[in-house]
């Protein structure tokens, strides 16, 4: 007795196997894809921040603990680090207005602010 669904299943199995094989090819060949959230510049900035921290610069957590309490009524959204200028930019939101606070990553001093 012939099973009519057996041929259909074989036809479905081949494309699925092909898709999985093609998706896994970079890993099988030893080339891991770059993650979208981790570009080379971000890694470079992270390494610069780590090196600065080792030389006595304040950590991001220390900077946040000093700046966030001064931003009454504002929601803290996060930070960014620019290794070229050693500046942390802390981003806040208050009454629909975005506020950026620039902090020198070498000494923790506020060096600029935009928005109110």
């Amino acid at each position: 007795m012939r099973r009519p669904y057996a041929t259909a299943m074989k036809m479905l199995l081949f494309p699925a196997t092909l898709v999985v094989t093609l998706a896994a090819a970079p890993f099988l060949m030893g080339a891991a894809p770059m993650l979208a959230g981790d570009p080379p510049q971000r890694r470079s900035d992270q390494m610069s921040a780590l090196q600065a921290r080792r030389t006595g610069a304040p950590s991001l957590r220390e900077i946040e603990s000093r700046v966030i309490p001064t931003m009454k009524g504002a929601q803290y959204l996060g930070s960014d680090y620019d290794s070229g200028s050693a500046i942390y930019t802390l981003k806040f939101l208050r009454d629909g207005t975005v506020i950026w606070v620039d902090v020198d990553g070498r000494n923790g001093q506020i060096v600029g602010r935009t928005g109110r």
Side-chain angles (χ1 to χ4, degrees):
M1 179 170 161
R2 184 169 168 86
R3 296 178 295 189
Y5 61 86
T7 303
M9 291 301 285
K10 286 180 184 176
M11 290 173 33
L12 289 175
L13 186 60
F14 177 72
T17 305
L18 181 62
V19 168
V20 170
T21 303
L22 291 176
F27 294 104
L28 296 174
M29 295 176 6
M34 182 181 296
L35 300 175
D38 200 17
Q41 181 61 41
R42 180 176 170 101
R43 281 194 299 271
S44 173
D45 288 348
Q46 290 172 344
M47 289 304 297
S48 295
L50 178 61
Q51 290 170 349
R53 182 75 182 110
R54 288 179 177 158
T55 62
S59 70
L60 174 60
R61 300 297 166 241
E62 292 169 341
I63 291 171
E64 289 172 337
S65 70
R66 282 190 239 153
V67 176
I68 292 173
T70 68
M71 301 297 294
K72 303 285 188 224
Q75 177 186 3
Y76 180 55
L77 301 176
S79 66
D80 191 27
Y81 180 72
D82 178 21
S83 61
S85 61
I87 298 289
Y88 283 99
T89 301
L90 281 63
K91 186 176 180 180
F92 296 87
L93 181 64
R94 181 189 299 138
D95 299 327
T97 302
V98 177
I99 303 165
W100 289 274
V101 178
D102 294 328
V103 181
D104 189 327
R106 296 171 293 229
N107 57 27
Q109 298 297 312
I110 295 175
V111 295
R113 179 176 164 160
T114 60
R116 293 286 163 209

